[in-house]
Amino acid sequence: MLIEKIKNYHVVLASSSPRRQQLLKDMGINFDVAKREYDESYPRNLPGAEIALYISRRKASLFKDYVRENEIVITADTIVWCNNKVIGKPVSVEEAISMLKQISGNVHEVITGVTILSGKKEISFSDSTKVKFEVMSDDEIRYYAENFNPMDKAGAYGIQEWIGIIGCSTIEGSYFNVVGLPVQKLYQELKKIINQDS
Protein backbone atom coordinates (compact mmCIF):
# COMPACT_ATOMS: atom_id res chain seq x y z
CA MET A 1 0.00 0.00 0.00
CA LEU A 2 1.27 3.46 -0.93
CA ILE A 3 0.88 4.98 2.53
CA GLU A 4 3.22 2.37 4.01
CA LYS A 5 5.77 2.40 1.17
CA ILE A 6 6.01 6.18 0.93
CA LYS A 7 7.21 6.35 4.54
CA ASN A 8 10.58 5.23 3.16
CA TYR A 9 10.81 8.44 1.12
CA HIS A 10 11.45 12.05 1.97
CA VAL A 11 8.56 13.82 0.23
CA VAL A 12 8.88 17.50 -0.68
CA LEU A 13 5.92 19.59 -1.79
CA ALA A 14 7.26 22.54 -3.73
CA SER A 15 4.24 24.76 -3.14
CA SER A 16 3.33 27.47 -0.68
CA SER A 17 -0.39 26.88 -1.34
CA PRO A 18 -2.13 26.06 1.97
CA ARG A 19 -4.82 24.21 0.02
CA ARG A 20 -2.32 21.88 -1.66
CA GLN A 21 -0.58 21.30 1.64
CA GLN A 22 -3.87 20.38 3.32
CA LEU A 23 -4.85 17.99 0.53
CA LEU A 24 -1.51 16.18 0.73
CA LYS A 25 -1.92 15.90 4.51
CA ASP A 26 -5.41 14.53 4.00
CA MET A 27 -3.90 11.84 1.75
CA GLY A 28 -1.94 10.67 4.79
CA ILE A 29 1.46 11.64 3.39
CA ASN A 30 4.15 13.22 5.55
CA PHE A 31 6.10 15.89 3.70
CA ASP A 32 8.21 19.02 3.95
CA VAL A 33 7.46 22.23 2.08
CA ALA A 34 10.09 23.85 -0.14
CA LYS A 35 9.37 27.41 -1.22
CA ARG A 36 11.22 28.76 -4.25
CA GLU A 37 10.78 31.79 -6.45
CA TYR A 38 9.31 30.61 -9.74
CA ASP A 39 9.14 32.15 -13.17
CA GLU A 40 5.54 31.43 -14.19
CA SER A 41 5.84 32.84 -17.71
CA TYR A 42 5.12 30.55 -20.66
CA PRO A 43 5.06 30.62 -24.47
CA ARG A 44 1.91 32.44 -25.54
CA ASN A 45 1.02 29.88 -28.22
CA LEU A 46 0.44 27.08 -25.69
CA PRO A 47 -3.13 25.84 -25.12
CA GLY A 48 -4.55 25.53 -21.60
CA ALA A 49 -3.37 22.07 -20.47
CA GLU A 50 0.08 22.60 -21.95
CA ILE A 51 0.50 25.85 -19.98
CA ALA A 52 -0.06 24.15 -16.62
CA LEU A 53 2.28 21.28 -17.56
CA TYR A 54 4.95 23.66 -18.86
CA ILE A 55 4.99 25.66 -15.62
CA SER A 56 4.96 22.57 -13.36
CA ARG A 57 7.95 21.18 -15.28
CA ARG A 58 9.80 24.50 -14.99
CA LYS A 59 9.21 24.46 -11.26
CA ALA A 60 10.52 20.88 -11.08
CA SER A 61 13.65 21.83 -13.05
CA LEU A 62 14.80 23.89 -10.05
CA PHE A 63 15.07 20.67 -8.03
CA LYS A 64 16.52 18.26 -10.59
CA ASP A 65 20.12 18.73 -9.50
CA TYR A 66 19.26 18.29 -5.83
CA VAL A 67 16.76 15.43 -5.62
CA ARG A 68 18.32 12.48 -3.80
CA GLU A 69 17.69 8.75 -3.77
CA ASN A 70 14.57 7.96 -1.72
CA GLU A 71 13.32 11.51 -2.21
CA ILE A 72 10.22 12.65 -4.09
CA VAL A 73 9.54 16.24 -5.13
CA ILE A 74 6.04 17.30 -6.19
CA THR A 75 5.44 20.53 -8.13
CA ALA A 76 2.12 21.81 -9.45
CA ASP A 77 0.53 24.72 -11.25
CA THR A 78 -3.18 25.50 -11.60
CA ILE A 79 -4.72 27.75 -14.23
CA VAL A 80 -8.24 28.81 -15.09
CA TRP A 81 -9.02 28.62 -18.82
CA CYS A 82 -12.06 30.64 -19.86
CA ASN A 83 -13.08 31.75 -23.36
CA ASN A 84 -9.77 30.38 -24.74
CA LYS A 85 -7.58 32.47 -22.46
CA VAL A 86 -5.94 32.19 -19.07
CA ILE A 87 -7.43 33.94 -16.07
CA GLY A 88 -4.56 34.21 -13.62
CA LYS A 89 -4.22 35.48 -10.07
CA PRO A 90 -5.51 39.01 -9.53
CA VAL A 91 -3.29 41.71 -8.06
CA SER A 92 -6.11 43.91 -6.76
CA VAL A 93 -9.73 43.72 -5.62
CA GLU A 94 -10.85 45.46 -8.79
CA GLU A 95 -9.01 42.97 -10.98
CA ALA A 96 -10.55 40.13 -8.97
CA ILE A 97 -14.00 41.60 -9.60
CA SER A 98 -13.27 41.81 -13.33
CA MET A 99 -12.15 38.16 -13.41
CA LEU A 100 -15.19 36.97 -11.46
CA LYS A 101 -17.48 38.79 -13.90
CA GLN A 102 -15.91 36.74 -16.72
CA ILE A 103 -16.64 33.52 -14.82
CA SER A 104 -20.19 34.54 -13.82
CA GLY A 105 -22.80 32.80 -15.97
CA ASN A 106 -20.08 30.90 -17.80
CA VAL A 107 -18.31 27.54 -17.99
CA HIS A 108 -14.55 27.44 -17.50
CA GLU A 109 -11.88 24.80 -17.06
CA VAL A 110 -9.60 24.48 -14.06
CA ILE A 111 -6.41 22.76 -15.21
CA THR A 112 -3.62 21.57 -12.93
CA GLY A 113 -0.26 20.36 -14.18
CA VAL A 114 1.74 18.18 -11.79
CA THR A 115 5.33 16.97 -11.99
CA ILE A 116 6.75 14.28 -9.72
CA LEU A 117 10.53 13.90 -9.44
CA SER A 118 12.29 10.98 -7.82
CA GLY A 119 15.95 10.04 -7.86
CA LYS A 120 15.25 7.77 -10.85
CA LYS A 121 12.24 9.15 -12.69
CA GLU A 122 10.17 12.17 -13.67
CA ILE A 123 6.44 12.00 -14.40
CA SER A 124 4.20 14.87 -15.50
CA PHE A 125 0.44 14.81 -15.94
CA SER A 126 -2.48 17.20 -15.98
CA ASP A 127 -6.11 17.09 -14.92
CA SER A 128 -8.97 19.26 -16.11
CA THR A 129 -12.30 20.03 -14.45
CA LYS A 130 -15.17 21.91 -16.07
CA VAL A 131 -16.88 24.32 -13.68
CA LYS A 132 -20.09 26.25 -14.27
CA PHE A 133 -21.03 29.35 -12.31
CA GLU A 134 -24.53 30.75 -12.52
CA VAL A 135 -24.96 34.48 -13.03
CA MET A 136 -23.91 36.36 -9.90
CA SER A 137 -24.87 39.92 -9.11
CA ASP A 138 -22.31 42.72 -8.95
CA ASP A 139 -23.00 43.01 -5.21
CA GLU A 140 -22.29 39.30 -4.66
CA ILE A 141 -19.06 39.47 -6.65
CA ARG A 142 -17.86 42.58 -4.82
CA TYR A 143 -18.78 41.11 -1.44
CA TYR A 144 -16.61 38.07 -2.11
CA ALA A 145 -13.69 40.06 -3.54
CA GLU A 146 -13.65 42.45 -0.58
CA ASN A 147 -14.25 39.97 2.24
CA PHE A 148 -12.23 36.92 1.20
CA ASN A 149 -8.75 36.53 -0.24
CA PRO A 150 -8.98 36.09 -4.04
CA MET A 151 -5.46 37.40 -4.67
CA ASP A 152 -3.65 34.08 -4.17
CA LYS A 153 -6.06 32.06 -6.31
CA ALA A 154 -6.15 31.37 -10.04
CA GLY A 155 -9.39 32.76 -11.41
CA ALA A 156 -9.79 34.89 -8.26
CA TYR A 157 -11.89 32.35 -6.38
CA GLY A 158 -11.76 29.34 -4.08
CA ILE A 159 -14.40 26.75 -4.89
CA GLN A 160 -14.59 25.76 -1.22
CA GLU A 161 -15.35 29.35 -0.17
CA TRP A 162 -18.53 31.43 -0.08
CA ILE A 163 -18.59 32.22 -3.79
CA GLY A 164 -18.31 28.55 -4.72
CA ILE A 165 -21.13 27.69 -2.36
CA ILE A 166 -23.52 30.29 -3.78
CA GLY A 167 -22.34 30.40 -7.39
CA CYS A 168 -21.10 27.02 -8.60
CA SER A 169 -23.92 24.92 -10.08
CA THR A 170 -22.09 22.05 -11.77
CA ILE A 171 -18.66 20.43 -11.76
CA GLU A 172 -17.53 17.89 -14.35
CA GLY A 173 -14.38 16.18 -13.10
CA SER A 174 -12.37 16.27 -9.89
CA TYR A 175 -13.53 18.70 -7.22
CA PHE A 176 -10.14 18.50 -5.51
CA ASN A 177 -8.46 19.57 -8.73
CA VAL A 178 -10.42 22.82 -8.48
CA VAL A 179 -9.25 23.22 -4.88
CA GLY A 180 -5.69 22.95 -6.18
CA LEU A 181 -4.44 19.37 -6.57
CA PRO A 182 -5.85 16.36 -8.47
CA VAL A 183 -5.15 14.05 -5.55
CA GLN A 184 -6.66 10.86 -6.98
CA LYS A 185 -4.42 11.04 -10.05
CA LEU A 186 -1.48 12.05 -7.89
CA TYR A 187 -2.04 9.00 -5.68
CA GLN A 188 -2.00 6.69 -8.73
CA GLU A 189 1.15 8.27 -10.18
CA LEU A 190 2.97 8.09 -6.84
CA LYS A 191 2.14 4.37 -6.70
CA LYS A 192 3.69 3.91 -10.15
CA ILE A 193 6.90 5.70 -9.19
CA ILE A 194 7.34 3.85 -5.92
CA ASN A 195 6.56 0.46 -7.47
CA GLN A 196 9.10 1.11 -10.24
CA ASP A 197 11.73 2.21 -7.72
CA SER A 198 11.32 -0.89 -5.55
Side-chain angles (χ1 to χ4, degrees):
M1 186 168 133
L2 174 69
I3 298 305
E4 291 302 319
K5 290 181 179 179
I6 206 164
K7 289 177 182 176
N8 298 319
Y9 289 78
H10 175 228
V11 179
V12 176
L13 177 64
S15 175
S16 59
S17 164
R19 294 163 297 283
R20 289 193 186 123
Q21 292 171 23
Q22 187 60 52
L23 286 172
L24 206 57
K25 285 178 188 173
D26 291 344
M27 287 175 71
I29 295 174
N30 293 320
F31 62 94
D32 290 322
V33 174
K35 298 179 182 179
R36 301 275 176 93
E37 290 297 320
Y38 301 112
D39 176 7
E40 296 194 355
S41 61
Y42 54 87
R44 294 296 161 183
N45 61 332
L46 290 180
E50 290 301 317
I51 294 169
L53 277 172
Y54 179 88
I55 297 173
S56 80
R57 288 177 180 137
R58 285 192 71 171
K59 290 178 177 180
S61 70
L62 298 177
F63 295 87
K64 276 186 178 178
D65 293 336
Y66 306 101
V67 65
R68 304 184 303 269
E69 191 173 347
N70 288 346
E71 187 169 50
I72 290 173
V73 178
I74 301 167
T75 64
D77 187 73
T78 300
I79 67 164
V80 169
W81 185 253
C82 185
N83 297 326
N84 293 315
K85 65 179 182 180
V86 174
I87 301 179
K89 296 175 182 176
V91 296
S92 67
V93 167
E94 292 306 317
E95 187 177 17
I97 289 169
S98 174
M99 290 177 175
L100 292 168
K101 285 182 177 180
Q102 294 178 61
I103 289 170
S104 175
N106 208 343
V107 176
H108 63 274
E109 283 185 86
V110 178
I111 306 166
T112 303
V114 179
T115 299
I116 308 169
L117 279 178
S118 73
K120 298 178 181 177
K121 197 167 181 67
E122 176 179 337
I123 293 176
S124 293
F125 64 92
S126 65
D127 198 22
S128 177
T129 305
K130 288 186 178 178
V131 181
K132 180 180 181 182
F133 272 75
E134 298 300 328
V135 175
M136 298 174 289
S137 71
D138 289 351
D139 287 344
E140 288 166 337
I141 288 172
R142 182 167 289 279
Y143 171 78
Y144 174 77
E146 291 179 346
N147 290 280
F148 293 82
N149 183 22
M151 259 62 87
D152 71 334
K153 300 175 180 74
Y157 77 93
I159 192 72
Q160 71 282 8
E161 295 177 342
W162 182 83
I163 200 161
I165 293 167
I166 67 103
C168 177
S169 58
T170 60
I171 294 178
E172 184 181 327
S174 167
Y175 166 81
F176 296 108
N177 180 50
V178 186
V179 177
L181 201 59
V183 283
Q184 194 276 333
K185 276 192 175 183
L186 175 61
Y187 184 85
Q188 298 302 322
E189 296 298 334
L190 284 170
K191 281 204 297 188
K192 287 180 191 175
I193 280 190
I194 288 176
N195 290 335
Q196 288 167 4
D197 277 359
S198 57

